[in-house]
Amino acid sequence: MLNKSIKELSSLLNKKQISSVDLVNETYSQIEKFDSKLHSFITVKDKSVTLKEAEEKDKNRKSDSSVVFGLPFAVKDAYVTKDLRTTAGSKLLENFNSPYNATVVEKIIKAGGILIGKNNMDNWGHGASNENTNYEIPHNPWDMERITGGSSGGSAVSVSTRMVPFAVGEDTGGSIRNPSSMCNISGLKVTYGRVSRYGAIAYASSLDTVGPMAKSVEDLSYLLEIMAGHDDHDATSSRLPVEKYSQYLGDSIKGEIIGLPKEFLEKGLDPEIKKTVLTATKVFEKLGAKIIEVSLPHFIYGISIYYLIALSETSSNLGRYDSFRYGDKRELFSNETVRRILLGTYALSSGYADKLYKKAQKLRTILIQEYDQALKKCDVLLSPVTPSLPSKIGEMISDPLKNLLEDLYTGTVNLVGAPALVIPAGFSENNLPIGLQIVGKKFGEGELFQLGYSYQQETDWHKKLPIILK
Ligand code: GLN
């Protein structure tokens, strides 16, 4: 059942052909079958409690209930939850229980979603492989020896293996997009401010975004309708009205202009990923879109700018876990996190702030202008997600620079604040998933859904299941 779309599940529930109790049972049976090997969850809620919730949902279902009413779901362990501990992937918060739910969690629960558990992640969101977790390292269901991508790796695995119909991820520099691509699911990084960050454990506050991860673009569009909107608890959340995103599904993409930044296909990109992006352009052309070349001359500085800003902000945000205010013991910060705090503190210290932090901020403005310019010539940008295929577990952790480079195509989008959709677009010769990124104009999520949905009507990459399920 959990292989069906959110809309299908909701309609079967309405017709009483299935029940929420069935769905919750299936969720736990998938978790029991696979998660001792895959480690997509850090904490799973007690089954007797969620089954009770499901019974309630079955009783109280109305014909106009939300599409997620009675559906199980998971959230990255970066969001605080009242009933379950929140670790942010770190031992430092191993015993932390929040007195309230993050806004996004609260919204989904209010709409009738049943929270099943908290997904594995890199400590504080620090990483692109999910190996920087203090819990078991999650494994990629397409190849058990490989990484899931990160930092929302656990969420990607739980959707990819149909443990839950959808999950909530967090994306500061690629953390929703990178694991979505590596585990063959669809994921959305929203425009900065589209979804409230209240209750999200802060990594880098000017870059953090909250977004859905699911099996298809269609599912993502329904989820964003529930998750988006202004929140009095988050001053950076936008007051723009939330659109009916699902209305964009099925709109023709004839005449859409898709820009392909020439810098994206230059050095550093795996040839199989490059080929996949180029093949995807043909699909869009067939659907009536036009592909043009654009340029982002400062793109090559993107990673340096991203890490200067992200690490400066994280050094400030993590100051609160000094074990006087929050957190067990600060010795429990991982090596990677200590490295990031040190670099960030250095970039902000007097004498260096002008040369490093301020310069990065100026370059951030230039990047914003360049993206704006490019998006005047076209409607969206097409891009790879990561420069390389999922590596073997252990390879990246010994090569921190490679880990940082994974954000080459995603990190700049967070600097700019734009939305970006990731959809499955093919496989490498050794059967590893390859995703495609479509970057839109600010608050242009609807157009991304329109394009992504058309692509998924034409292709069936997103329907392919990992070997482990066969
Ligand atoms: N890999 C990036 C980093 O470590 C992005 C992480 C994220 O989006 N949370 O900063």
Side-chain angles (χ1 to χ4, degrees):
M1 284 180 290
L2 292 173
N3 199 25
K4 295 191 188 306
S5 73
I6 291 182
K7 207 64 221 257
E8 281 169 324
L9 288 175
S10 147
S11 128
L12 289 171
L13 284 166
N14 279 340
K15 289 189 251 163
K16 298 214 176 339
Q17 289 177 0
I18 59 169
S19 67
S20 290
V21 169
D22 297 336
L23 292 178
V24 167
N25 274 321
E26 188 167 315
T27 287
Y28 283 89
S29 104
Q30 290 293 96
I31 294 174
E32 277 154 29
K33 234 189 272 169
F34 300 118
D35 219 37
S36 58
K37 289 179 248 153
L38 294 172
H39 311 298
S40 71
F41 283 95
I42 292 177
T43 310
V44 176
K45 206 159 158 182
D46 192 40
K47 187 176 171 187
S48 63
V49 177
T50 46
L51 273 178
K52 258 213 195 88
E53 285 178 45
E55 276 168 24
E56 286 289 305
K57 300 289 183 242
D58 285 332
K59 247 188 263 154
N60 299 328
R61 188 166 195 95
K62 297 194 189 78
S63 56
D64 61 347
S65 292
S66 154
V67 283
V68 299
F69 194 91
L71 298 195
F73 76 102
V75 299
K76 183 176 185 174
D77 211 7
Y79 297 106
V80 299
T81 44
K82 216 166 33 191
D83 302 338
L84 288 171
R85 67 171 175 163
T86 301
T87 70
S90 171
K91 281 275 180 228
L92 203 110
L93 290 185
E94 195 172 14
N95 304 306
F96 172 64
N97 283 298
S98 160
Y100 67 96
N101 281 330
T103 296
V104 65
V105 175
E106 194 62 24
K107 280 189 164 189
I108 298 171
I109 289 178
K110 274 221 172 97
I114 302 172
L115 177 63
I116 297 294
K118 310 290 292 287
N119 288 127
N120 210 335
M121 59 180 283
D122 287 296
N123 281 211
W124 319 105
H126 293 167
S129 69
N130 219 316
E131 292 163 288
N132 184 29
T133 172
N134 282 151
Y135 301 85
E136 300 278 350
I137 293 172
H139 291 241
N140 192 315
W142 291 87
D143 178 342
M144 293 289 289
E145 286 182 11
R146 292 182 188 266
I147 59 163
T148 57
S151 62
S152 314
S155 306
V157 174
S158 64
V159 173
S160 163
T161 54
R162 304 335 188 211
M163 293 175 190
V164 281
F166 69 93
V168 180
E170 173 277 336
D171 193 308
T172 305
S175 278
I176 287 180
R177 289 162 286 164
N178 162 330
S180 293
S181 169
M182 292 193 179
C183 295
N184 205 52
I185 64 164
S186 305
L188 178 74
K189 180 246 172 250
V190 299
T191 308
Y192 185 79
R194 183 64 299 185
V195 177
S196 167
R197 289 180 294 117
Y198 183 65
I201 304 248
Y203 165 5
S205 309
S206 78
L207 303 162
D208 293 345
T209 55
V210 182
M213 299 169 81
K215 295 186 294 276
S216 67
V217 172
E218 180 191 306
D219 284 0
L220 293 178
S221 72
Y222 287 109
L223 293 170
L224 188 61
E225 288 175 7
I226 297 165
M227 293 162 63
H230 177 72
D231 178 9
D232 284 341
H233 294 303
D234 174 4
T236 63
S237 66
S238 169
R239 287 182 190 273
L240 275 183
V242 176
E243 290 182 74
K244 190 117 182 62
Y245 295 108
S246 50
Q247 271 176 3
Y248 285 88
L249 307 177
D251 281 359
S252 160
I253 65 161
K254 218 166 167 185
E256 284 278 318
I257 303 177
I258 300 178
L260 195 55
K262 65 171 195 260
E263 293 81 4
F264 286 5
L265 301 179
E266 286 169 2
K267 58 175 190 272
L269 180 61
D270 179 282
E272 290 191 273
I273 299 179
K274 182 172 174 176
K275 202 170 119 201
T276 305
V277 174
L278 293 175
T279 308
T281 61
K282 300 279 172 287
V283 177
F284 284 115
E285 276 173 344
K286 189 174 159 216
L287 290 165
K290 193 175 155 209
I291 312 285
I292 63 163
E293 188 184 274
V294 294
S295 173
L296 300 167
H298 283 77
F299 165 76
I300 46 159
Y301 303 112
I303 281 285
S304 315
I305 306 167
Y306 168 77
Y307 274 103
L308 274 170
I309 292 175
L311 303 193
S312 298
E313 291 185 19
T314 211
S315 73
S316 158
N317 275 327
L318 294 183
R320 70 186 64 140
Y321 304 108
D322 55 7
S323 64
F324 294 110
R325 279 163 289 189
Y326 306 104
D328 284 343
K329 286 194 196 87
R330 57 182 164 191
E331 295 85 76
L332 293 173
F333 277 129
S334 68
N335 289 345
E336 178 61 26
T337 295
V338 169
R339 189 156 47 227
R340 288 176 182 227
I341 294 173
L342 286 172
L343 276 166
T345 309
Y346 182 79
L348 288 176
S349 58
S350 71
Y352 294 102
D354 282 351
K355 235 174 36 197
L356 299 171
Y357 178 72
K358 277 198 193 146
K359 192 160 184 193
Q361 289 291 17
K362 286 181 186 162
L363 279 158
R364 180 181 190 169
T365 303
I366 292 177
L367 269 180
I368 293 172
Q369 289 162 351
E370 281 181 5
Y371 268 79
D372 280 351
Q373 282 304 321
L375 284 165
K376 277 194 184 119
K377 297 197 187 105
C378 56
D379 298 303
V380 295
L381 302 175
L382 198 65
S383 145
V385 184
T386 55
S388 50
L389 296 164
S391 56
K392 291 241 167 88
I393 291 176
E395 259 172 35
M396 248 188 205
I397 208 130
S398 52
D399 186 356
L401 265 183
K402 185 161 185 241
N403 204 323
L404 304 190
L405 277 175
E406 285 298 289
D407 307 305
L408 186 61
Y409 305 108
T410 48
T412 48
V413 183
N414 296 67
L415 289 169
V416 167
L421 176 71
V422 162
I423 46 177
F427 290 87
S428 68
E429 259 170 32
N430 54 350
N431 205 35
L432 296 169
I434 301 176
L436 187 71
Q437 174 174 236
I438 314 173
V439 182
K441 296 181 177 142
K442 283 185 196 157
F443 298 98
E445 279 84 355
E447 196 168 12
L448 296 183
F449 293 141
Q450 183 184 347
L451 281 148
Y453 182 79
S454 300
Y455 183 89
Q456 292 191 334
Q457 296 305 104
E458 193 62 30
T459 59
D460 60 2
W461 303 116
H462 62 295
K463 294 190 183 143
K464 302 259 187 263
L465 290 171
I467 324 293
I468 192 171
L469 292 190
K470 286 181 190 150

